[in-house]
């Protein structure tokens, strides 16, 4: 849209580089070109603004295939106005001198023209194509047909329109038909996925089997080596035992020879000691016998003397006791009994005992 400003009753227009401006006054063309700016009077000016940049026109329409199936086509047409003067003469691109807004809807008219033309050619090619073929190769066929049809359309050059490119993004059937068409493909994909899963599992099982076989072979090899190691260890043990046995035999023989020699030496020493001990014992026996005879004689003399002394003492004791009276003997007997009685620290005499003793003493003194 052109930029229009007001200054002292006049208007100033400044166009964009992508907009072609045509200024007429009194039927004469005063300004013509893209990106221009000028002053004008609103009451006498007739101004048209024609866009010359590339524009995208998106379209969506329905078509029917050769097997009477509805499909939706999504396409985009890129176009531009190659001849602004011709387009301004065929379509109303005039703008309001006060606001710069188009008085009509020229771009919508161009969109309708391009959409109907493209739809006409797309319907023509899809009407002769079955649905399955259209879904497979229909996009390219529809794009080529629309491009050829728009290029051969005489009204477009007559309006100053140039078609730059045609793109067809999608060609889709109805949702029910699309689901029905997807089912075999999905089943095939699922079968392929299942097959791949089974193959992967088979490969995994095969690898696990190979790994198990390798482990078993490794275990067998280890067992064989352990058996060899055990045999070698047994051989080494037997050899070591034989060597130890031979060494022990040599050591035993040497020890036996040494023991025999020691025993012989010890026996000789013992014989010598026994002979010396026997000689000494004989000498000691003779001395001991003499001493024993002497001691026996001395002990016999002593025993006889002691017996005679005891007999003399006993005779004297009996003689003395036979000469004394009975009261003296009783007194000696009491003394001997008192010497053999246990020690008495204290004696408690009760009045009854004291009375009885006094009575006995009184009775003894009275006669």
């Amino acid at each position: 849209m052109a930029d229009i400003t007001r200054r002292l009753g006049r208007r100033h227009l400044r166009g964009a580089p992508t907009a072609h401006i045509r200024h007429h006054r009194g039927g004469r063309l005063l300004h013509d070109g893209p990106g221009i700016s000028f002053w004008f009077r609103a009451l006498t000016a007739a101004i048209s603004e024609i866009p010359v940049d590339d524009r995208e026109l998106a379209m969506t329409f329905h078509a029917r295939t050769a097997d009477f199936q509805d499909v939706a086509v999504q396409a985009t047409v890129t176009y531009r106005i190659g001849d602004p003067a011709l387009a301004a003469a065929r379509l109303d691109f005039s703008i309001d001198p006060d606001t710069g807004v188009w008085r009509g809807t020229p771009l919508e008219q161009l969109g309708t023209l391009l959409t109907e033309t493209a739809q006409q050619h797309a319907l023509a090619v899809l009407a002769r194509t079955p649905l399955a073929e259209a879904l497979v190769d229909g996009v390219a066929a529809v794009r080529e047909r629309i491009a050829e049809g728009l290029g051969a359309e005489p009204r477009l050059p007559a309006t100053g329109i140039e078609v730059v490119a045609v793109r067809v993004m999608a060609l889709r059937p109805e949702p029910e038909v699309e689901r029905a068409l997807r089912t075999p493909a999905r089943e095939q994909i699922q079968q392929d996925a299942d097959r791949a899963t089974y193959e992967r599992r088979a490969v995994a099982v095969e690898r696990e089997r190979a790994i198990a076989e390798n482990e078993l072979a490794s275990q067998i090899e280890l067992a064989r080596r352990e058996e060899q190691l055990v045999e070698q260890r047994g051989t080494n043990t037997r050899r070591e035992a034989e060597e130890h046995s031979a060494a022990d035999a040599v050591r035993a023989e040497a020890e036996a020879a040494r023991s025999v020699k020691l025993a012989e030496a010890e026996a000789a020493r013992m014989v010598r000691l026994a002979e010396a001990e026997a000689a000494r014992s004989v000498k000691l026996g003779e001395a001991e016998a003499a001493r024993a005879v002497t001691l026996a004689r001395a002990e016999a003399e002593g025993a006889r003397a002691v017996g005679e002394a005891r007999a003399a003492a006993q005779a004297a004791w009996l003689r003395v006791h036979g000469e004394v009276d009975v009261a003296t003997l009783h007194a000696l007997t009491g003394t001997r009994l008192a010497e053999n009685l246990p020690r008495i620290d204290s004696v408690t005499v009760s009045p009854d005992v004291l009375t009885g003793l006094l009575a006995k003493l009184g009775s003894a003194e009275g006669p």
Side-chain angles (χ1 to χ4, degrees):
M1 185 177 64
D3 184 12
I4 299 176
T5 58
R6 298 181 183 182
R7 291 291 186 276
L8 301 176
R10 301 187 66 181
R11 306 287 189 274
H12 182 271
L13 183 143
R14 183 175 60 200
T18 57
H20 190 96
I21 305 299
R22 292 175 62 84
H23 176 211
H24 293 79
R25 187 178 64 186
R28 292 185 301 111
L29 182 61
L30 299 181
H31 300 91
D32 185 17
I36 61 176
S37 61
F38 54 86
W39 292 92
F40 67 92
R41 291 183 181 274
L43 295 178
T44 59
I47 302 174
S48 298
E49 182 182 9
I50 304 96
V52 294
D53 57 336
D54 292 348
R55 291 183 173 266
E56 302 285 341
L57 176 62
M59 58 186 71
T60 301
F61 54 88
H62 290 271
R64 181 168 294 181
T65 61
D67 48 1
F68 305 101
Q69 298 296 326
D70 291 336
V71 293
V73 181
Q74 296 179 357
T76 300
V77 176
T78 303
Y79 71 94
R80 64 185 178 87
I81 299 175
D83 190 348
L86 185 58
R90 299 295 298 272
L91 298 174
D92 184 12
F93 284 96
S94 61
I95 62 175
D96 190 340
D98 292 329
T99 61
V101 179
W102 280 316
R103 296 180 184 274
T105 56
L107 295 182
E108 293 181 2
Q109 295 176 7
L110 284 178
T112 301
L113 174 61
L114 291 172
T115 300
E116 291 178 352
T117 304
Q119 184 175 356
Q120 177 183 354
H121 294 287
L123 293 176
V125 70
L126 289 175
R128 298 190 300 271
T129 307
L131 177 62
E133 184 179 350
L135 294 178
V136 176
D137 301 324
V139 172
V142 170
R143 181 180 65 251
E144 293 175 359
R145 183 59 183 273
I146 291 176
E148 291 176 0
L150 292 177
E153 180 66 29
R155 188 179 176 184
L156 295 180
T159 314
I161 306 300
E162 296 179 1
V163 177
V164 178
V166 176
R167 300 189 302 277
V168 177
M169 281 73 69
L171 197 151
R172 301 173 65 90
E174 293 182 347
E176 294 81 3
V177 177
E178 186 174 7
R179 283 194 295 271
L181 293 175
R182 286 179 178 177
T183 301
R186 287 183 177 179
E187 291 180 354
Q188 184 64 33
I189 293 172
Q190 186 64 38
Q191 292 177 1
D192 295 340
D194 294 340
R195 187 180 302 107
T197 302
Y198 297 150
E199 292 177 356
R200 185 169 60 253
R201 290 179 179 176
V203 171
V205 171
E206 183 66 22
R207 290 180 179 176
E208 290 179 357
R209 185 183 63 79
I211 292 172
E213 291 179 355
N214 292 333
E215 291 180 352
L216 182 59
S218 299
Q219 293 178 359
I220 294 173
E221 182 65 20
L222 289 175
R224 186 179 63 81
R225 292 185 179 181
E226 288 180 357
E227 183 179 0
Q228 294 178 355
L229 181 60
V230 170
E231 292 179 357
Q232 186 64 35
R233 285 179 177 175
T235 303
N236 295 338
T237 303
R238 287 193 299 272
R239 185 178 301 170
E240 185 177 0
E242 291 174 357
E243 292 177 356
H244 287 171
S245 177
D248 291 340
V250 173
R251 190 181 301 108
E253 291 177 357
E255 186 69 23
R258 188 174 67 84
S259 299
V260 169
K261 291 180 180 179
L262 290 175
E264 292 176 352
E266 184 67 20
R269 189 179 66 83
M270 291 297 294
V271 168
R272 290 193 299 272
L273 290 176
E275 292 176 352
E277 185 68 23
R280 189 174 64 86
S281 298
V282 170
K283 292 179 181 181
L284 290 176
E286 293 176 354
E288 185 68 25
R291 187 174 66 84
V293 171
T294 303
L295 290 176
R297 291 176 180 176
E299 287 178 358
E301 291 293 333
R304 186 176 60 78
V306 171
E308 292 177 354
R310 287 180 178 177
Q314 186 70 24
W317 186 79
L318 292 175
R319 187 173 59 253
V320 170
H321 284 76
E323 295 176 356
V324 297
D325 54 3
V326 177
T328 302
L329 291 175
H330 288 170
L332 290 173
T333 302
T335 302
R336 292 290 180 90
L337 289 175
E339 289 177 356
N340 294 324
L341 288 175
R343 181 179 179 182
I344 299 173
D345 294 332
S346 61
V347 177
T348 303
V349 180
S350 62
D352 297 335
V353 175
L354 184 58
T355 304
L357 289 176
L358 293 175
K360 289 181 179 183
L361 290 175
S363 62
E365 293 176 355

